[in-house]
PDB file of all heavy atoms in Angstrom:
ATOM      1  N   TRP A   1      55.622  99.152 199.328  1.00 98.00           N
ATOM      2  CA  TRP A   1      54.941 100.372 198.927  1.00 98.00           C
ATOM      3  C   TRP A   1      55.859 101.513 198.500  1.00 98.00           C
ATOM      4  O   TRP A   1      55.582 102.187 197.492  1.00 98.00           O
ATOM      5  CB  TRP A   1      53.986 100.827 200.023  1.00 98.00           C
ATOM      6  CG  TRP A   1      53.462 102.211 199.808  1.00 98.00           C
ATOM      7  CD1 TRP A   1      53.619 103.298 200.612  1.00 98.00           C
ATOM      8  CD2 TRP A   1      52.715 102.689 198.673  1.00 98.00           C
ATOM      9  NE1 TRP A   1      53.024 104.410 200.064  1.00 98.00           N
ATOM     10  CE2 TRP A   1      52.461 104.067 198.863  1.00 98.00           C
ATOM     11  CE3 TRP A   1      52.245 102.082 197.508  1.00 98.00           C
ATOM     12  CZ2 TRP A   1      51.756 104.844 197.952  1.00 98.00           C
ATOM     13  CZ3 TRP A   1      51.546 102.857 196.579  1.00 98.00           C
ATOM     14  CH2 TRP A   1      51.306 104.215 196.811  1.00 98.00           C
ATOM     15  N   PRO A   2      56.968 101.806 199.181  1.00 98.00           N
ATOM     16  CA  PRO A   2      57.794 102.934 198.731  1.00 98.00           C
ATOM     17  C   PRO A   2      58.261 102.820 197.285  1.00 98.00           C
ATOM     18  O   PRO A   2      58.283 103.826 196.560  1.00 98.00           O
ATOM     19  CB  PRO A   2      58.977 102.916 199.715  1.00 98.00           C
ATOM     20  CG  PRO A   2      58.408 102.292 200.952  1.00 98.00           C
ATOM     21  CD  PRO A   2      57.462 101.241 200.455  1.00 98.00           C
ATOM     22  N   ILE A   3      58.622 101.614 196.836  1.00 98.00           N
ATOM     23  CA  ILE A   3      59.089 101.506 195.446  1.00 98.00           C
ATOM     24  C   ILE A   3      57.912 101.444 194.474  1.00 98.00           C
ATOM     25  O   ILE A   3      58.042 101.872 193.322  1.00 98.00           O
ATOM     26  CB  ILE A   3      60.065 100.328 195.233  1.00 98.00           C
ATOM     27  CG1 ILE A   3      59.428  98.991 195.578  1.00 98.00           C
ATOM     28  CG2 ILE A   3      61.336 100.546 196.024  1.00 98.00           C
ATOM     29  CD1 ILE A   3      60.310  97.807 195.177  1.00 98.00           C
ATOM     30  N   ILE A   4      56.765 100.932 194.907  1.00 98.00           N
ATOM     31  CA  ILE A   4      55.574 100.999 194.058  1.00 98.00           C
ATOM     32  C   ILE A   4      55.187 102.462 193.854  1.00 98.00           C
ATOM     33  O   ILE A   4      54.875 102.894 192.744  1.00 98.00           O
ATOM     34  CB  ILE A   4      54.416 100.202 194.683  1.00 98.00           C
ATOM     35  CG1 ILE A   4      54.690  98.694 194.593  1.00 98.00           C
ATOM     36  CG2 ILE A   4      53.093 100.525 193.984  1.00 98.00           C
ATOM     37  CD1 ILE A   4      53.617  97.834 195.225  1.00 98.00           C
ATOM     38  N   ASP A   5      55.218 103.232 194.935  1.00 98.00           N
ATOM     39  CA  ASP A   5      54.874 104.646 194.854  1.00 98.00           C
ATOM     40  C   ASP A   5      55.845 105.386 193.934  1.00 98.00           C
ATOM     41  O   ASP A   5      55.441 106.235 193.122  1.00 98.00           O
ATOM     42  CB  ASP A   5      54.897 105.250 196.256  1.00 98.00           C
ATOM     43  CG  ASP A   5      54.400 106.692 196.285  1.00 98.00           C
ATOM     44  OD1 ASP A   5      53.400 106.989 195.611  1.00 98.00           O
ATOM     45  OD2 ASP A   5      55.010 107.516 196.982  1.00 98.00           O
ATOM     46  N   GLU A   6      57.122 105.071 194.037  1.00 98.00           N
ATOM     47  CA  GLU A   6      58.117 105.699 193.168  1.00 98.00           C
ATOM     48  C   GLU A   6      57.862 105.346 191.711  1.00 98.00           C
ATOM     49  O   GLU A   6      57.967 106.200 190.814  1.00 98.00           O
ATOM     50  CB  GLU A   6      59.524 105.266 193.577  1.00 98.00           C
ATOM     51  CG  GLU A   6      60.630 105.952 192.801  1.00 98.00           C
ATOM     52  CD  GLU A   6      62.016 105.559 193.261  1.00 98.00           C
ATOM     53  OE1 GLU A   6      62.143 104.845 194.276  1.00 98.00           O
ATOM     54  OE2 GLU A   6      62.990 105.969 192.587  1.00 98.00           O
ATOM     55  N   ALA A   7      57.499 104.076 191.468  1.00 98.00           N
ATOM     56  CA  ALA A   7      57.227 103.644 190.095  1.00 98.00           C
ATOM     57  C   ALA A   7      56.003 104.342 189.520  1.00 98.00           C
ATOM     58  O   ALA A   7      55.982 104.701 188.336  1.00 98.00           O
ATOM     59  CB  ALA A   7      57.038 102.128 190.061  1.00 98.00           C
ATOM     60  N   ILE A   8      54.974 104.541 190.347  1.00 98.00           N
ATOM     61  CA  ILE A   8      53.782 105.258 189.889  1.00 98.00           C
ATOM     62  C   ILE A   8      54.183 106.640 189.377  1.00 98.00           C
ATOM     63  O   ILE A   8      53.719 107.092 188.322  1.00 98.00           O
ATOM     64  CB  ILE A   8      52.758 105.388 191.027  1.00 98.00           C
ATOM     65  CG1 ILE A   8      52.172 104.017 191.388  1.00 98.00           C
ATOM     66  CG2 ILE A   8      51.629 106.353 190.636  1.00 98.00           C
ATOM     67  CD1 ILE A   8      51.317 104.029 192.646  1.00 98.00           C
ATOM     68  N   GLN A   9      55.043 107.304 190.118  1.00 97.00           N
ATOM     69  CA  GLN A   9      55.467 108.642 189.725  1.00 97.00           C
ATOM     70  C   GLN A   9      56.382 108.620 188.494  1.00 97.00           C
ATOM     71  O   GLN A   9      56.285 109.475 187.621  1.00 97.00           O
ATOM     72  CB  GLN A   9      56.180 109.312 190.897  1.00 97.00           C
ATOM     73  CG  GLN A   9      55.275 109.520 192.113  1.00 97.00           C
ATOM     74  CD  GLN A   9      56.063 110.012 193.317  1.00 97.00           C
ATOM     75  OE1 GLN A   9      56.469 111.169 193.377  1.00 97.00           O
ATOM     76  NE2 GLN A   9      56.290 109.131 194.283  1.00 97.00           N
ATOM     77  N   CYS A  10      57.246 107.616 188.421  1.00 97.00           N
ATOM     78  CA  CYS A  10      58.189 107.533 187.306  1.00 97.00           C
ATOM     79  C   CYS A  10      57.500 107.222 185.982  1.00 97.00           C
ATOM     80  O   CYS A  10      57.866 107.757 184.938  1.00 97.00           O
ATOM     81  CB  CYS A  10      59.232 106.449 187.584  1.00 97.00           C
ATOM     82  SG  CYS A  10      60.469 106.873 188.823  1.00 97.00           S
ATOM     83  N   TYR A  11      56.504 106.332 186.018  1.00 97.00           N
ATOM     84  CA  TYR A  11      55.940 105.795 184.785  1.00 97.00           C
ATOM     85  C   TYR A  11      54.517 106.266 184.506  1.00 97.00           C
ATOM     86  O   TYR A  11      53.846 105.726 183.627  1.00 97.00           O
ATOM     87  CB  TYR A  11      55.992 104.260 184.820  1.00 97.00           C
ATOM     88  CG  TYR A  11      57.370 103.734 185.141  1.00 97.00           C
ATOM     89  CD1 TYR A  11      57.579 102.825 186.177  1.00 97.00           C
ATOM     90  CD2 TYR A  11      58.488 104.174 184.422  1.00 97.00           C
ATOM     91  CE1 TYR A  11      58.852 102.366 186.485  1.00 97.00           C
ATOM     92  CE2 TYR A  11      59.762 103.722 184.722  1.00 97.00           C
ATOM     93  CZ  TYR A  11      59.941 102.812 185.754  1.00 97.00           C
ATOM     94  OH  TYR A  11      61.197 102.364 186.058  1.00 97.00           O
ATOM     95  N   HIS A  12      54.085 107.281 185.219  1.00 94.00           N
ATOM     96  CA  HIS A  12      52.709 107.755 185.103  1.00 94.00           C
ATOM     97  C   HIS A  12      52.320 108.082 183.662  1.00 94.00           C
ATOM     98  O   HIS A  12      51.197 107.796 183.237  1.00 94.00           O
ATOM     99  CB  HIS A  12      52.513 108.985 185.997  1.00 94.00           C
ATOM    100  CG  HIS A  12      51.122 109.524 185.986  1.00 94.00           C
ATOM    101  ND1 HIS A  12      50.704 110.490 185.092  1.00 94.00           N
ATOM    102  CD2 HIS A  12      50.044 109.223 186.745  1.00 94.00           C
ATOM    103  CE1 HIS A  12      49.433 110.766 185.315  1.00 94.00           C
ATOM    104  NE2 HIS A  12      49.001 110.020 186.308  1.00 94.00           N
ATOM    105  N   GLY A  13      53.214 108.639 182.903  1.00 90.00           N
ATOM    106  CA  GLY A  13      52.885 109.024 181.537  1.00 90.00           C
ATOM    107  C   GLY A  13      53.270 108.000 180.487  1.00 90.00           C
ATOM    108  O   GLY A  13      53.073 108.229 179.289  1.00 90.00           O
ATOM    109  N   ASP A  14      53.794 106.851 180.901  1.00 95.00           N
ATOM    110  CA  ASP A  14      54.264 105.847 179.953  1.00 95.00           C
ATOM    111  C   ASP A  14      53.137 104.900 179.534  1.00 95.00           C
ATOM    112  O   ASP A  14      52.116 104.775 180.215  1.00 95.00           O
ATOM    113  CB  ASP A  14      55.409 105.035 180.569  1.00 95.00           C
ATOM    114  CG  ASP A  14      56.663 105.874 180.783  1.00 95.00           C
ATOM    115  OD1 ASP A  14      56.650 107.048 180.375  1.00 95.00           O
ATOM    116  OD2 ASP A  14      57.634 105.355 181.354  1.00 95.00           O
ATOM    117  N   LEU A  15      53.356 104.189 178.437  1.00 93.00           N
ATOM    118  CA  LEU A  15      52.331 103.301 177.909  1.00 93.00           C
ATOM    119  C   LEU A  15      51.972 102.183 178.878  1.00 93.00           C
ATOM    120  O   LEU A  15      50.816 101.771 178.977  1.00 93.00           O
ATOM    121  CB  LEU A  15      52.803 102.698 176.575  1.00 93.00           C
ATOM    122  CG  LEU A  15      52.915 103.678 175.397  1.00 93.00           C
ATOM    123  CD1 LEU A  15      53.494 102.966 174.187  1.00 93.00           C
ATOM    124  CD2 LEU A  15      51.549 104.276 175.065  1.00 93.00           C
ATOM    125  N   GLU A  16      52.971 101.678 179.616  1.00 94.00           N
ATOM    126  CA  GLU A  16      52.694 100.551 180.515  1.00 94.00           C
ATOM    127  C   GLU A  16      51.900 100.952 181.754  1.00 94.00           C
ATOM    128  O   GLU A  16      51.423 100.085 182.497  1.00 94.00           O
ATOM    129  CB  GLU A  16      53.990  99.847 180.936  1.00 94.00           C
ATOM    130  CG  GLU A  16      54.920 100.650 181.808  1.00 94.00           C
ATOM    131  CD  GLU A  16      56.030 101.320 181.041  1.00 94.00           C
ATOM    132  OE1 GLU A  16      55.782 101.736 179.872  1.00 94.00           O
ATOM    133  OE2 GLU A  16      57.140 101.442 181.585  1.00 94.00           O
ATOM    134  N   TYR A  17      51.745 102.258 181.988  1.00 96.00           N
ATOM    135  CA  TYR A  17      51.034 102.684 183.200  1.00 96.00           C
ATOM    136  C   TYR A  17      49.587 102.218 183.206  1.00 96.00           C
ATOM    137  O   TYR A  17      49.023 101.939 184.261  1.00 96.00           O
ATOM    138  CB  TYR A  17      51.095 104.200 183.365  1.00 96.00           C
ATOM    139  CG  TYR A  17      50.499 104.661 184.680  1.00 96.00           C
ATOM    140  CD1 TYR A  17      51.141 104.371 185.884  1.00 96.00           C
ATOM    141  CD2 TYR A  17      49.291 105.352 184.725  1.00 96.00           C
ATOM    142  CE1 TYR A  17      50.591 104.761 187.100  1.00 96.00           C
ATOM    143  CE2 TYR A  17      48.744 105.749 185.932  1.00 96.00           C
ATOM    144  CZ  TYR A  17      49.393 105.448 187.113  1.00 96.00           C
ATOM    145  OH  TYR A  17      48.855 105.828 188.320  1.00 96.00           O
ATOM    146  N   ARG A  18      48.985 102.109 182.051  1.00 95.00           N
ATOM    147  CA  ARG A  18      47.605 101.605 181.959  1.00 95.00           C
ATOM    148  C   ARG A  18      47.496 100.221 182.597  1.00 95.00           C
ATOM    149  O   ARG A  18      46.574  99.947 183.364  1.00 95.00           O
ATOM    150  CB  ARG A  18      47.178 101.561 180.492  1.00 95.00           C
ATOM    151  CG  ARG A  18      45.739 101.100 180.259  1.00 95.00           C
ATOM    152  CD  ARG A  18      45.482 100.967 178.759  1.00 95.00           C
ATOM    153  NE  ARG A  18      44.134 100.541 178.482  1.00 95.00           N
ATOM    154  CZ  ARG A  18      43.137 101.356 178.167  1.00 95.00           C
ATOM    155  NH1 ARG A  18      43.355 102.657 178.083  1.00 95.00           N
ATOM    156  NH2 ARG A  18      41.924 100.883 177.914  1.00 95.00           N
ATOM    157  N   GLU A  19      48.465  99.351 182.280  1.00 97.00           N
ATOM    158  CA  GLU A  19      48.446  98.004 182.862  1.00 97.00           C
ATOM    159  C   GLU A  19      48.879  98.033 184.322  1.00 97.00           C
ATOM    160  O   GLU A  19      48.454  97.190 185.123  1.00 97.00           O
ATOM    161  CB  GLU A  19      49.332  97.074 182.038  1.00 97.00           C
ATOM    162  CG  GLU A  19      48.787  96.823 180.641  1.00 97.00           C
ATOM    163  CD  GLU A  19      49.558  95.752 179.908  1.00 97.00           C
ATOM    164  OE1 GLU A  19      49.713  94.651 180.451  1.00 97.00           O
ATOM    165  OE2 GLU A  19      50.021  96.028 178.784  1.00 97.00           O
ATOM    166  N   MET A  20      49.712  98.971 184.683  1.00 98.00           N
ATOM    167  CA  MET A  20      50.095  99.110 186.085  1.00 98.00           C
ATOM    168  C   MET A  20      48.878  99.431 186.949  1.00 98.00           C
ATOM    169  O   MET A  20      48.783  98.978 188.097  1.00 98.00           O
ATOM    170  CB  MET A  20      51.164 100.186 186.231  1.00 98.00           C
ATOM    171  CG  MET A  20      52.539  99.763 185.746  1.00 98.00           C
ATOM    172  SD  MET A  20      53.772 101.082 185.943  1.00 98.00           S
ATOM    173  CE  MET A  20      55.280 100.180 185.534  1.00 98.00           C
ATOM    174  N   LEU A  21      47.949 100.196 186.403  1.00 98.00           N
ATOM    175  CA  LEU A  21      46.725 100.486 187.154  1.00 98.00           C
ATOM    176  C   LEU A  21      45.948  99.205 187.448  1.00 98.00           C
ATOM    177  O   LEU A  21      45.322  99.080 188.507  1.00 98.00           O
ATOM    178  CB  LEU A  21      45.845 101.464 186.372  1.00 98.00           C
ATOM    179  CG  LEU A  21      46.242 102.939 186.442  1.00 98.00           C
ATOM    180  CD1 LEU A  21      45.395 103.750 185.466  1.00 98.00           C
ATOM    181  CD2 LEU A  21      46.083 103.481 187.859  1.00 98.00           C
ATOM    182  N   GLY A  22      45.977  98.248 186.527  1.00 97.00           N
ATOM    183  CA  GLY A  22      45.337  96.969 186.787  1.00 97.00           C
ATOM    184  C   GLY A  22      45.986  96.244 187.960  1.00 97.00           C
ATOM    185  O   GLY A  22      45.299  95.631 188.786  1.00 97.00           O
ATOM    186  N   CYS A  23      47.308  96.327 188.050  1.00 98.00           N
ATOM    187  CA  CYS A  23      48.027  95.733 189.178  1.00 98.00           C
ATOM    188  C   CYS A  23      47.660  96.440 190.482  1.00 98.00           C
ATOM    189  O   CYS A  23      47.482  95.790 191.527  1.00 98.00           O
ATOM    190  CB  CYS A  23      49.529  95.815 188.945  1.00 98.00           C
ATOM    191  SG  CYS A  23      50.126  95.017 187.441  1.00 98.00           S
ATOM    192  N   LEU A  24      47.543  97.760 190.423  1.00 98.00           N
ATOM    193  CA  LEU A  24      47.181  98.521 191.619  1.00 98.00           C
ATOM    194  C   LEU A  24      45.757  98.213 192.064  1.00 98.00           C
ATOM    195  O   LEU A  24      45.453  98.231 193.261  1.00 98.00           O
ATOM    196  CB  LEU A  24      47.334 100.023 191.344  1.00 98.00           C
ATOM    197  CG  LEU A  24      48.767 100.524 191.186  1.00 98.00           C
ATOM    198  CD1 LEU A  24      48.768 101.986 190.770  1.00 98.00           C
ATOM    199  CD2 LEU A  24      49.562 100.340 192.477  1.00 98.00           C
ATOM    200  N   HIS A  25      44.886  97.920 191.120  1.00 98.00           N
ATOM    201  CA  HIS A  25      43.506  97.554 191.458  1.00 98.00           C
ATOM    202  C   HIS A  25      43.501  96.285 192.302  1.00 98.00           C
ATOM    203  O   HIS A  25      42.795  96.191 193.318  1.00 98.00           O
ATOM    204  CB  HIS A  25      42.698  97.359 190.171  1.00 98.00           C
ATOM    205  CG  HIS A  25      41.254  97.089 190.390  1.00 98.00           C
ATOM    206  ND1 HIS A  25      40.756  95.814 190.570  1.00 98.00           N
ATOM    207  CD2 HIS A  25      40.175  97.926 190.479  1.00 98.00           C
ATOM    208  CE1 HIS A  25      39.445  95.872 190.734  1.00 98.00           C
ATOM    209  NE2 HIS A  25      39.068  97.140 190.689  1.00 98.00           N
ATOM    210  N   ALA A  26      44.299  95.298 191.892  1.00 98.00           N
ATOM    211  CA  ALA A  26      44.392  94.057 192.666  1.00 98.00           C
ATOM    212  C   ALA A  26      45.088  94.295 194.003  1.00 98.00           C
ATOM    213  O   ALA A  26      44.682  93.752 195.035  1.00 98.00           O
ATOM    214  CB  ALA A  26      45.140  92.996 191.854  1.00 98.00           C
ATOM    215  N   PHE A  27      46.130  95.107 193.994  1.00 98.00           N
ATOM    216  CA  PHE A  27      46.860  95.438 195.221  1.00 98.00           C
ATOM    217  C   PHE A  27      45.921  96.091 196.236  1.00 98.00           C
ATOM    218  O   PHE A  27      45.961  95.769 197.428  1.00 98.00           O
ATOM    219  CB  PHE A  27      48.013  96.378 194.875  1.00 98.00           C
ATOM    220  CG  PHE A  27      48.870  96.807 196.032  1.00 98.00           C
ATOM    221  CD1 PHE A  27      49.760  95.920 196.627  1.00 98.00           C
ATOM    222  CD2 PHE A  27      48.814  98.112 196.507  1.00 98.00           C
ATOM    223  CE1 PHE A  27      50.571  96.323 197.690  1.00 98.00           C
ATOM    224  CE2 PHE A  27      49.620  98.524 197.565  1.00 98.00           C
ATOM    225  CZ  PHE A  27      50.498  97.625 198.150  1.00 98.00           C
ATOM    226  N   ALA A  28      45.074  96.997 195.783  1.00 98.00           N
ATOM    227  CA  ALA A  28      44.154  97.721 196.670  1.00 98.00           C
ATOM    228  C   ALA A  28      43.161  96.803 197.355  1.00 98.00           C
ATOM    229  O   ALA A  28      42.622  97.134 198.418  1.00 98.00           O
ATOM    230  CB  ALA A  28      43.407  98.792 195.873  1.00 98.00           C
ATOM    231  N   GLN A  29      42.922  95.628 196.766  1.00 98.00           N
ATOM    232  CA  GLN A  29      41.973  94.679 197.343  1.00 98.00           C
ATOM    233  C   GLN A  29      42.656  93.598 198.172  1.00 98.00           C
ATOM    234  O   GLN A  29      41.999  92.699 198.694  1.00 98.00           O
ATOM    235  CB  GLN A  29      41.157  94.033 196.223  1.00 98.00           C
ATOM    236  CG  GLN A  29      40.327  95.040 195.446  1.00 98.00           C
ATOM    237  CD  GLN A  29      39.573  94.402 194.297  1.00 98.00           C
ATOM    238  OE1 GLN A  29      38.503  93.832 194.464  1.00 98.00           O
ATOM    239  NE2 GLN A  29      40.153  94.485 193.105  1.00 98.00           N
ATOM    240  N   GLY A  30      43.996  93.694 198.288  1.00 98.00           N
ATOM    241  CA  GLY A  30      44.744  92.697 199.036  1.00 98.00           C
ATOM    242  C   GLY A  30      44.838  93.015 200.514  1.00 98.00           C
ATOM    243  O   GLY A  30      44.182  93.932 201.027  1.00 98.00           O
ATOM    244  N   LYS A  31      45.694  92.274 201.203  1.00 98.00           N
ATOM    245  CA  LYS A  31      45.867  92.427 202.650  1.00 98.00           C
ATOM    246  C   LYS A  31      46.920  93.498 202.935  1.00 98.00           C
ATOM    247  O   LYS A  31      47.995  93.218 203.465  1.00 98.00           O
ATOM    248  CB  LYS A  31      46.277  91.088 203.257  1.00 98.00           C
ATOM    249  CG  LYS A  31      45.245  89.974 203.045  1.00 98.00           C
ATOM    250  CD  LYS A  31      45.764  88.643 203.558  1.00 98.00           C
ATOM    251  CE  LYS A  31      44.763  87.532 203.287  1.00 98.00           C
ATOM    252  NZ  LYS A  31      45.284  86.201 203.729  1.00 98.00           N
ATOM    253  N   ILE A  32      46.575  94.725 202.585  1.00 98.00           N
ATOM    254  CA  ILE A  32      47.538  95.814 202.722  1.00 98.00           C
ATOM    255  C   ILE A  32      47.298  96.604 204.003  1.00 98.00           C
ATOM    256  O   ILE A  32      46.194  96.612 204.548  1.00 98.00           O
ATOM    257  CB  ILE A  32      47.509  96.747 201.503  1.00 98.00           C
ATOM    258  CG1 ILE A  32      46.140  97.422 201.348  1.00 98.00           C
ATOM    259  CG2 ILE A  32      47.850  95.971 200.232  1.00 98.00           C
ATOM    260  CD1 ILE A  32      46.099  98.447 200.219  1.00 98.00           C
TER     261      ILE A  32
END
């Protein structure tokens, strides 16, 4: 989580962030 959180902040305005949200959607439904 700490590096995922850092990446969210680093790439929030970048083009790939849209797809990163898809990864976070799956992560949110996992065994976290």
Side-chain angles (χ1 to χ4, degrees):
W1 168 241
I3 60 172
I4 289 178
D5 186 42
E6 185 177 353
I8 292 171
Q9 297 172 74
C10 286
Y11 308 127
H12 182 270
D14 293 356
L15 291 176
E16 67 263 34
Y17 186 69
R18 182 186 180 97
E19 293 188 53
M20 286 180 172
L21 281 172
C23 302
L24 290 174
H25 185 272
F27 180 73
Q29 298 177 83
K31 300 175 183 177
I32 62 175

